[in-house]
Amino acid sequence: MTTAHATAPRFAAIDCGTNSIRLLIAEVLPDGSLNELNRDNIIVRLGQGVDANGRFAEEALERVDAALSTYADRMVEFGVQDVMMGATSATRDAENREVFFDLSRRHLGRIRDGISAEVITGEREAELSFNGAVTDLGELGAEERVCVIDLGGGSTEFVVRTASGSVNEAHSANMGCVRLTERYLHSQPPASTEIAAASVFVQELLAEVQNVVDLSAVDRVVGVAGTMTTISSIALGLSEYDSERNHMSVHSLEDFRATARDLLSRTTEQRMELGPMHPGRADVIGGGAVIVDAFTTLFLEQGLKEITVSEKDILDGILAEVVRRNS
């Protein structure tokens, strides 16, 4: 599809996290609703070695460069007028982040002059994730206290409020699937001592979360991002990844935890035998499983029974920002 055929204004959002870089393109229809045109995900492992070295690896930047080149071509093809690229956890930590911003400016400049990736604070990341995640909750979560958990590669965001926005508590914890795997889980499957060390770390950060976010009065838990949606696919017994089946699927917390624990006990090769598993996620999802184990256990102890998984997350929240600034 080209610009010549585009009749409705088209906008794009890019989310560059620690493990993957994703693109969403949509057009704004006359009634103000969004029609999704394209959604892509490329595993780039930008956070490779950042936790240990404090810098982006050259090969990681090369992978991002190639992915952004592909995405810029796609945005030109679809006639995108404006784009916002959010750069999250790994970018906040890396000392050579200006190299990353320079290459983002080169590619995004093809869409709109002078723009580059924008650093998103942990709390802002949580807010954007919440806005995207609850898009399709509808009346289901209108008056409930909803906790959205966005489990990424380098950080995990927790935000609690009602879907109507009357409560707003958010915290970003520096724990994610890549960070935990690189720091603690050096064996495949991880040794019990490695899992124990990772679990202690997660419990310490979860305690910090609870100092900021009241998790004790939560009515509904919504999980977003790749670790969550992958566990959802496996818990659903899918033979391959299916975003439509995943979106707004409801799981018992006990089943969700059991699936996470099973993944943690497997080698990378054994995880790849599971149809929904992405090759770029198989070696690090164990770190995410430790986090899932911790928060599902917490909520089960509080009497909650279920978790809802949403395919919409920070990417959809970023797109809403782009649309607003052009309205």
Side-chain angles (χ1 to χ4, degrees):
M1 196 170 294
T2 63
T3 359
H5 298 291
T7 55
R10 295 178 172 186
F11 304 106
I14 298 175
D15 169 39
C16 188
T18 304
N19 197 45
S20 63
I21 183 167
R22 301 177 300 145
L23 169 70
L24 172 60
I25 299 173
E27 60 185 358
V28 182
L29 300 178
D31 64 358
S33 63
L34 295 179
N35 177 36
E36 183 177 316
L37 301 172
N38 184 87
R39 194 181 286 256
D40 281 301
N41 180 26
I42 300 175
I43 301 290
V44 292
R45 197 64 59 82
L46 178 61
Q48 175 190 337
V50 171
D51 190 54
N53 305 318
R55 296 176 56 84
F56 290 131
E58 289 301 320
E59 57 268 33
L61 289 170
E62 290 172 3
R63 291 192 293 268
V64 172
D65 195 10
L68 283 179
S69 177
T70 298
Y71 285 174
D73 288 345
R74 196 151 297 153
M75 287 187 285
V76 169
E77 174 191 351
F78 276 91
V80 168
Q81 299 175 20
D82 193 10
V83 57
M84 175 180 171
M85 176 175 171
T88 54
S89 178
T91 311
R92 294 195 295 266
D93 300 338
E95 64 182 48
N96 61 337
R97 54 187 172 271
E98 285 308 316
V99 179
F100 168 83
F101 288 114
D102 286 344
L103 70 86
S104 76
R105 192 174 296 111
R106 173 162 47 86
H107 292 295
L108 299 182
R110 295 176 58 192
I111 310 306
R112 180 175 171 181
D113 289 340
I115 61 172
S116 68
E118 303 175 27
V119 174
I120 298 176
T121 65
E123 285 66 30
R124 183 64 177 139
E125 186 175 352
E127 178 77 8
L128 289 168
S129 295
F130 188 95
N131 291 341
V134 302
T135 299
D136 295 329
L137 268 183
E139 294 302 315
L140 190 66
E143 299 305 323
E144 294 178 321
R145 277 177 58 89
V146 179
C147 177
V148 170
I149 304 175
D150 182 348
L151 201 171
S155 64
T156 299
E157 283 65 51
F158 295 78
V159 58
V160 175
R161 74 181 197 203
T162 60
S164 58
S166 62
V167 179
N168 189 359
E169 300 168 357
H171 184 70
S172 179
N174 284 325
M175 56 183 182
C177 61
V178 176
R179 192 184 297 269
L180 257 70
T181 299
E182 289 191 349
R183 188 177 293 190
Y184 297 106
L185 308 181
H186 306 300
S187 309
Q188 292 290 355
S192 57
T193 52
E194 295 172 344
I195 295 172
S199 297
V200 168
F201 176 72
V202 169
Q203 289 295 341
E204 289 173 353
L205 291 187
L206 198 53
E208 292 180 9
V209 172
Q210 291 174 278
N211 287 334
V212 180
V213 180
D214 184 6
L215 300 179
S216 64
V218 168
D219 301 310
R220 180 177 300 274
V221 183
V222 178
V224 301
T227 292
M228 301 284 207
T229 57
T230 300
I231 292 175
S232 169
S233 289
I234 296 168
L236 288 170
L238 303 182
S239 58
E240 60 183 13
Y241 192 90
D242 186 334
S243 59
E244 291 187 6
R245 291 280 302 278
N246 269 327
H247 187 51
M248 293 292 106
S249 61
V250 179
H251 307 263
S252 77
L253 281 168
E254 289 186 350
D255 287 349
F256 208 74
R257 180 175 65 178
T259 303
R261 288 176 172 176
D262 177 66
L263 284 170
L264 185 57
S265 71
R266 292 172 177 253
T267 64
T268 301
E269 293 73 20
Q270 289 170 334
R271 293 168 187 165
M272 281 304 302
E273 293 172 359
L274 302 168
M277 183 66 64
H278 191 291
R281 197 175 303 283
D283 61 331
V284 295
I285 199 167
V290 175
I291 299 170
V292 169
D293 191 351
F295 77 71
T296 52
T297 298
L298 173 67
F299 286 123
L300 281 165
E301 289 172 351
Q302 293 176 186
L304 288 184
K305 303 294 185 185
E306 297 175 337
I307 180 171
T308 302
V309 173
S310 173
E311 285 280 345
K312 295 186 177 181
D313 51 27
I314 187 173
L315 192 59
D316 301 83
I318 292 173
L319 182 66
E321 290 279 302
V322 182
V323 172
R324 273 196 294 272
R325 78 185 184 192
N326 283 276
S327 60

